Amino acid sequence: MKKYITLAILSIALASCGGDSNEKSVEALLESGSVEELQAKQEALKADVAATNDQLAQIEKVLEEKNPREKKEVLITTMTVKDTLFNHFIEVQGNVETKQNVLIYPEYQGTLSRVVVKEGQRVRKGQTLARIDDGGLSSQVAQMESQLALAKTTFERQQRLWDQKIGSEIQYLQAKTQYESSQNMVSQIKSQLGKTTVTAPFSGVIDEVITDQGTVVAPGMALFRIVNLDNMYVAAEIPESYLPTVTAGKKVKVEFPVLGESVETTVRQTGNYIKPSNRSFAIEVDVPNKDGKVKPNLTARLSINDYTAESAILIPLNVINENAAGEQFVYTAFAKADEMVAQQKIITTGKSQGPNIEVLSGLEVGDKIIVEGARSVKDNQPVKILTY
């Protein structure tokens, strides 16, 4: 067989080197500087090379037909297709927030006569935080309560007389009106007096004392910041394409890069509005905070489980090829006669996670996927499986 190859190569070489003895050499053409002759020589050489390649291809074909066992085997490694649990996650960034992080403002104008809490102090809902000078409201309350007591006594006496048909109806109605009016005035002034006491709207920690004792305050002027770190959550925005799969109750892994910690939790709420500016919707994720390390506005990374397949076929992304028609395919190794050969299989894929991707069709459990050597083999080419 080697003899045939040698003879063929010699004949090709003689055919390329021979020819018309009157034909100018390349060196002579270069010296002449004739562009037309150089182009003609270039085309002639190209034709010789093409003819040589065709003859070599024919020789290789004859050799393979005469001795098929001399076909080159490609060394490969394989992996056996299995079905496995597949969890797909989407990753987004969010910020830690709490709905109980508020500034406390006064409802009454006056001098801040007393501040009874300090920064870092835990307080309970309704606990007094500060008092504002009432400007004499307490004295007015005592006076109005005395007038109310008199109006009540007058009304009660007038009512007894009216029940006995004594006196006029107008006297009875006047006494009744005076009593009810006094009641309303006392309630109003007590309500105003109550606004001079600043209380905690919920249980939490006084994070900041903004206004000092002795300062003249008015509505709209912040006094304290109170924070409750027990009911924390992460707020994030999710692309609208995930609206059907990211729902309340989905599992989430929350990582805090600054703290170097992570927690497993769930989506507690999803928004009902798509923002037109970035085509996304909001979600809230519960964050346990027993030790109080998690603070408002802390950056968090969310890995949300948006898709789960109980029996999925996963293969490495780097073994997938694509043909001219845009179809994805892989090579599998199978026994044919007394040798192993590669077989091309068209596949359809789903979601990817890390280095792997889910195969929806085209492969079956037990198939041997070619991994190393996947870019070198061809369909029906003999292969040899390496074992380590």
Side-chain angles (χ1 to χ4, degrees):
M1 199 61 62
K2 291 181 179 178
K3 179 181 178 183
Y4 295 147
I5 297 174
T6 304
L7 290 174
I9 293 173
L10 287 172
S11 63
I12 293 169
L14 289 171
S16 301
C17 296
D20 189 357
S21 59
N22 295 325
E23 186 179 354
K24 292 184 178 180
S25 67
V26 175
E27 290 79 4
L29 290 173
L30 289 172
E31 290 178 1
S32 68
S34 173
V35 175
E36 291 80 5
E37 291 183 352
L38 284 170
Q39 289 178 341
K41 186 65 175 179
Q42 181 185 33
E43 294 301 323
L45 290 173
K46 284 183 179 180
D48 289 343
V49 170
T52 302
N53 289 336
D54 289 342
Q55 292 177 45
L56 286 174
Q58 291 176 8
I59 292 171
E60 288 179 358
K61 184 177 180 181
V62 170
L63 289 175
E64 288 182 359
E65 290 175 352
K66 291 182 176 294
N67 192 359
R69 293 189 179 274
E70 289 187 3
K71 291 189 294 184
K72 185 178 179 182
E73 292 180 335
V74 178
L75 300 178
I76 63 167
T77 62
T78 63
M79 62 167 284
T80 303
V81 173
K82 300 178 181 178
D83 57 349
T84 184
L85 175 65
F86 176 51
N87 288 313
H88 182 264
F89 295 87
I90 64 170
E91 295 186 355
V92 295
Q93 183 170 300
N95 289 322
V96 176
E97 297 182 10
T98 175
K99 296 186 186 298
Q100 294 184 323
N101 174 19
V102 300
L103 293 173
I104 299 176
Y105 298 91
E107 297 181 87
Y108 190 80
Q109 183 171 349
T111 302
L112 192 63
S113 59
R114 189 180 179 193
V115 175
V116 297
V117 294
K118 58 184 179 180
E119 292 181 357
Q121 181 178 337
R122 295 192 67 86
V123 296
R124 65 183 183 278
K125 182 179 179 180
Q127 181 175 334
T128 299
L129 307 180
R131 296 187 185 278
I132 302 172
D133 181 44
D134 61 21
L137 275 181
S138 54
S139 300
Q140 293 182 38
V141 169
Q143 182 181 355
M144 294 301 301
E145 285 179 337
S146 297
Q147 293 177 2
L148 174 61
L150 176 60
K152 180 181 179 182
T153 301
T154 302
F155 170 67
E156 288 175 346
R157 289 180 179 179
Q158 194 64 43
Q159 187 177 34
R160 285 195 297 269
L161 291 173
W162 176 247
D163 291 340
Q164 297 174 13
K165 307 299 182 184
I166 300 173
S168 64
E169 182 179 6
I170 191 65
Q171 290 175 321
Y172 166 73
L173 292 176
Q174 285 176 343
K176 181 181 179 182
T177 301
Q178 183 64 34
Y179 174 54
E180 292 175 347
S181 177
S182 296
Q183 281 184 314
N184 291 334
M185 290 180 67
V186 169
S187 297
Q188 289 177 7
I189 201 167
K190 281 187 174 180
S191 175
Q192 289 295 317
L193 185 61
K195 293 178 180 179
T196 63
T197 301
V198 181
T199 60
F202 51 80
S203 298
V205 176
I206 300 300
D207 190 62
E208 183 180 6
V209 176
I210 301 172
T211 305
D212 296 328
Q213 183 173 307
T215 305
V216 176
V217 297
M221 183 176 179
L223 303 181
F224 308 97
R225 177 182 292 278
I226 183 171
V227 179
N228 187 338
L229 300 181
D230 295 333
N231 186 23
M232 307 290 286
Y233 68 94
V234 175
E237 294 186 355
I238 307 297
E240 66 175 344
S241 57
Y242 294 102
L243 187 62
T245 54
V246 178
T247 56
K250 287 286 186 178
K251 293 181 179 179
V252 183
K253 181 180 179 181
V254 182
E255 295 183 51
F256 303 106
V258 173
L259 301 178
E261 297 180 0
S262 63
V263 295
E264 300 286 341
T265 180
T266 58
V267 176
R268 77 176 187 185
Q269 181 181 333
T270 59
N272 297 310
Y273 172 74
I274 304 295
K275 295 183 179 180
S277 58
N278 58 3
R279 310 307 304 173
S280 67
F281 63 97
I283 66 167
E284 293 181 5
V285 177
D286 277 319
V287 177
N289 192 27
K290 295 180 180 179
D291 54 9
K293 289 183 179 180
V294 180
K295 310 294 183 183
N297 298 316
L298 186 66
T299 299
R301 285 202 297 261
L302 307 181
S303 296
I304 306 171
N305 176 211
D306 68 317
Y307 171 76
T308 297
E310 296 293 337
S311 299
I313 292 177
L314 300 179
I315 64 172
L317 279 163
N318 59 5
V319 304
I320 299 177
N321 295 281
E322 188 171 303
N323 59 24
E327 298 173 315
Q328 293 179 314
F329 66 89
V330 296
Y331 287 106
T332 61
F334 74 103
K336 182 179 180 182
D338 58 345
E339 62 184 358
M340 296 295 292
V341 297
Q343 182 182 32
Q344 184 185 105
K345 286 196 173 184
I346 303 297
I347 61 172
T348 56
T349 57
K351 297 180 180 292
S352 63
Q353 189 70 53
N356 298 323
I357 189 168
E358 181 186 14
V359 176
L360 302 178
S361 65
L363 291 177
E364 296 180 358
V365 174
D367 286 346
K368 292 185 180 296
I369 300 292
I370 296 177
V371 181
E372 294 182 22
R375 304 289 181 183
S376 304
V377 299
K378 297 180 180 179
D379 197 22
N380 292 318
Q381 184 174 8
V383 294
K384 183 176 180 180
I385 301 176
L386 291 174
T387 55
Y388 296 100

